[in-house]
Amino acid sequence: AQAALKRGLEISPNHTGLKIQQALLSLAAKEAAPDQAALAALAQSAAAIPRYAAAAALAQALEATNRGDREAALTFARSAHKIQPNEPEYSTRLGILFLGAGGNVTQATPLLEEHGEVMAKYDPSWALWRVRALLMSGRPRAAREVLGQVKLDSLDAATKLWHQELEVRCAHLDDDLSALRAACESPATWIKPGVRRRIACVEALLSRSRLKEAGQLVQGLKKPQLLLYGRGLQALAVGDVPTALRRLSRVNPQRLPDPVAHHLNLARALTTKGDARMAVKTLRAAVELDARSVRTRVALALSLVAGGHDSEAQSILEAIITDKPTQPEILGRAGEAFLSLGLPGKAQLLL
């Protein structure tokens, strides 16, 4: 593609559309990509032609993503989608940005559903974003159905590792113990490196008191921060809260595959200790990372109830109802929170 664009620009060096496509390829590869000023100039020259204007906005969204400015990335992606709302790539990329930028999973899911199948025909990895959105909205059964349609041999090495992790999380959240155990067996046969899969298995198995199986996987964690996290989870699983807190508080969540899970487990230990204030603080940090995930919001709501912040807890729980989660654990915990608030009618909508 780069060679074809180079030839095209040799023939027509001022062609705006070719320049934008070249920018998009460079940004996707993160190689010699144009800066903000250059992209702004391209966008200005493309403003009169909708398809070029939308592509330029997408290029600006990718550039903002690459430099870590999530808000700017969302703004540009919205612009691309607004200019050409029926273009599959713009809809899908906007949905992905909603998931990764603390956006609204309720908005992300329909965008990913709308053209997800079309995009997956060109690149099967797009389907994994649909799986993630469904898991975040508490719909693991639907997530498993989408994941089951992805052929593993059609993915590149890095995406295969993500697929493995999602397979574990889908089985766990869908309450399928046999599938979970199958996904966590024989780590020697896994695609390397299998760290994300191993951590997901440890978290899932310990939550189900499968201590021996989880312990064997913890022993295989080589990096000190990962091993400390795994041992902290082990201590929490057997009720040794002081040891769990000591270990988990020394873990840098950014060194973990899923920083949100660390916050959730640390908050669980703090709640068990009776420190509702610190549990709420920890869960607010989780929500900042995973703003619309049902699991984080339910956990925060329960901690808020325990800390006497009933009004805020109720507001969070009522927003969760609109996401229509189907995950049994989520439904049960949200219903429990509503009952604690003295709202059996609301609980009945979930239980």
Side-chain angles (χ1 to χ4, degrees):
Q2 288 280 23
L5 282 169
K6 182 179 179 181
R7 177 59 180 154
L9 286 166
E10 287 173 355
I11 298 170
S12 183
N14 296 317
H15 193 286
T16 301
L18 291 176
K19 286 183 176 181
I20 293 170
Q21 290 302 317
Q22 186 182 50
L24 284 169
L25 279 174
S26 298
L27 287 161
K30 298 183 180 180
E31 297 175 355
D35 60 18
Q36 288 176 263
L39 288 173
L42 267 179
Q44 186 174 2
S45 64
I49 304 174
R51 70 178 186 276
Y52 292 169
L58 176 59
Q60 289 174 296
L62 288 174
E63 188 278 331
T65 300
N66 288 351
R67 61 183 162 83
D69 189 342
R70 293 176 170 182
E71 288 302 317
L74 272 174
T75 298
F76 287 124
R78 284 192 182 103
S79 178
H81 183 253
K82 184 177 180 180
I83 296 168
Q84 290 199 302
N86 296 318
E87 169 58 43
E89 183 175 2
Y90 301 154
S91 297
T92 308
R93 283 194 181 278
L94 179 57
I96 289 171
L97 282 166
F98 269 125
L99 290 184
N104 190 327
V105 71
T106 307
Q107 293 175 287
T109 303
L111 288 168
L112 294 170
E113 291 285 334
E114 184 180 8
H115 298 295
E117 290 185 17
V118 174
M119 294 299 296
K121 289 179 181 177
Y122 296 100
D123 181 354
S125 66
W126 289 97
L128 302 189
W129 288 101
R130 292 176 63 199
V131 173
R132 182 180 174 190
L134 289 165
L135 287 178
M136 286 176 68
S137 59
R139 297 163 60 194
R141 184 65 51 84
R144 291 182 77 181
E145 290 174 1
V146 175
L147 191 65
Q149 297 169 11
V150 179
K151 295 180 179 178
L152 198 60
D153 59 6
S154 67
L155 304 175
D156 61 31
T159 313
K160 284 179 181 178
L161 295 175
W162 188 20
H163 183 285
Q164 287 187 150
E165 178 195 359
L166 289 172
E167 185 181 15
V168 172
R169 297 197 185 282
C170 281
H172 170 49
L173 296 175
D174 197 31
D175 205 24
D176 188 338
L177 181 57
S178 62
L180 173 63
R181 295 183 69 186
C184 294
E185 286 177 344
S186 306
T189 66
W190 296 353
I191 300 170
K192 302 294 188 297
V195 173
R196 297 184 68 96
R197 180 177 181 174
R198 186 179 292 269
I199 288 291
C201 284
V202 168
E203 291 170 344
L205 291 169
L206 286 176
S207 73
R208 295 169 179 276
S209 299
R210 313 293 300 193
L211 304 181
K212 183 177 179 180
E213 294 162 86
Q216 292 170 346
L217 292 172
V218 169
Q219 290 175 7
L221 294 170
K222 304 301 181 184
K223 294 184 178 181
Q225 284 283 289
L226 294 176
L227 182 58
L228 186 63
Y229 178 60
R231 288 178 173 170
L233 295 182
Q234 285 180 301
L236 185 58
V238 298
D240 186 353
V241 175
T243 300
L245 283 171
R246 186 172 64 254
R247 290 172 177 170
L248 293 176
S249 62
R250 290 166 52 202
V251 173
N252 179 354
Q254 298 308 315
R255 299 284 184 89
L256 302 177
D258 184 2
V260 174
H262 170 268
H263 289 306
L264 291 172
N265 284 305
L266 180 57
R268 185 155 63 95
L270 289 164
T271 300
T272 304
K273 180 187 175 185
D275 192 343
R277 185 183 65 82
M278 282 303 298
V280 167
K281 182 178 179 180
T282 301
L283 288 167
R284 290 195 193 281
V287 169
E288 286 182 10
L289 293 172
D290 206 358
R292 293 295 301 182
S293 168
V294 172
R295 64 172 180 165
T296 57
R297 289 182 289 150
V298 168
L300 176 58
L302 284 166
S303 282
L304 288 168
V305 170
H309 304 285
D310 292 1
S311 178
E312 185 181 357
Q314 182 177 342
S315 176
I316 291 170
L317 291 166
E318 288 178 346
I320 287 170
I321 292 177
T322 65
D323 289 335
K324 299 179 180 178
T326 60
Q327 184 182 333
E329 180 188 356
I330 292 294
L331 295 173
R333 298 189 74 201
E336 174 191 341
F338 272 127
L339 289 174
S340 298
L341 293 169
L343 298 169
K346 297 282 187 180
Q348 193 64 37
L349 294 173
L350 296 169
L351 299 177

